[in-house]
Amino acid sequence: MRVLVVTAVPVERDAVTRAFGGPEERVALPGAELHRCGAFDVLAGGAGPAAAAAATAFALASGASASGAPASGAPASGAPASAPYGLVVSAGIGGAFTPVTPLGSLIVADGIVAADLGAETADGFLPVTALGFGRDRFTPPPALVRAVAAATGAAAGPVLTVSTVTGSAERAGALLATHPGALAEAMEGFGVAEAAARADVPVLEVRAVSNAVGPRDRDAWRIGDALAALTDAFGKAAPVLEGWNSHEDLEG
């Protein structure tokens, strides 16, 4: 099965591709570059849900069978991939609601939640679903979530997608009050999931914890450790992802 992995920025993309080893083919797409490693195509789609959705949708529409054109300086393509994508993974680093998920730990989302898509009212935040349209949550295949968590030692729980990174204890508390049990926040998962759903492709989100959600203390961030954890996670999860059969247990 072919897997599309979408990160926000190149440093996350490179952390994922390091897990696979071996030769890496680079395929140029308009506005983006796929790094093809066997069954895995890894794309840095940009920061935020809109960029992530657009990049994911374009990659899915182009199809895994599109050979594209070799990027400048990249090795020439061999036989083009011939199978469609069977899974999309949103991957990268993110902030966590510690101490449940400490710095350097891994999280696999059992719910991908649009935390700030909706309306502010005098009575508090209303998600878009309460307004009578749209959706604010995607649920990855439960059996796949359990398998990846077991393979990597990750915690499983909701991951929030936000358009603005949390920068205060008050905002962190408000998010947890609205979304009890949330483990982490990031900026791309819901956008990736929205695009995958339109293409009827299952989605997963994997995050490595680089910082705590709350007041922004850059000196306390552990980006290097989180990127190393991301590489380790995909090294362990690759056989699970590549071998997963969506027809076996979509409902968990």
Side-chain angles (χ1 to χ4, degrees):
M1 181 180 72
R2 298 199 62 78
V3 180
L4 175 65
V5 182
V6 183
T7 71
V9 294
V11 68
E12 294 170 323
R13 177 201 62 205
D14 295 344
V16 173
T17 57
R18 277 196 295 273
F20 305 130
E24 177 184 308
E25 178 187 351
R26 300 184 183 184
V27 179
L29 297 175
E33 181 181 85
L34 283 176
H35 287 214
R36 181 163 288 162
C37 309
F40 294 87
D41 284 359
V42 190
L43 171 69
T56 304
F58 189 89
L60 289 169
S62 299
S65 61
S67 59
S72 176
S77 172
S82 59
Y85 293 116
L87 178 68
V88 178
V89 183
S90 176
I93 63 177
F97 296 97
T98 56
V100 176
T101 45
L103 302 189
S105 64
L106 294 167
I107 298 166
V108 56
D110 65 8
I112 301 173
V113 183
D116 52 12
L117 181 62
E120 290 290 345
T121 74
D123 297 320
F125 175 77
L126 287 179
V128 67
T129 51
L131 302 176
F133 55 89
R135 65 186 300 175
D136 63 356
R137 183 185 184 100
F138 290 93
T139 301
L144 181 60
V145 170
R146 290 193 296 268
V148 171
T152 62
V159 175
L160 309 183
T161 298
V162 295
S163 295
T164 301
V165 174
T166 299
S168 69
E170 292 77 14
R171 176 58 177 161
L175 284 173
L176 277 179
T178 305
H179 307 283
L183 294 186
E185 72 169 24
M187 299 180 71
E188 294 78 35
F190 192 82
V192 172
E194 189 75 75
R198 300 295 177 93
D200 197 26
V201 179
V203 68
L204 188 73
E205 183 171 9
V206 176
R207 293 286 164 183
V209 179
S210 59
N211 59 281
V213 176
R216 290 173 60 80
D217 179 6
R218 292 297 298 266
D219 291 337
W221 289 16
R222 298 293 181 266
I223 293 177
D225 291 343
L227 291 172
L230 194 64
T231 301
D232 184 65
F234 274 86
K236 293 174 179 176
V240 176
L241 299 175
E242 188 177 356
W244 179 67
N245 184 344
S246 62
H247 299 292
E248 291 179 358
D249 190 12
L250 279 175
E251 301 302 323

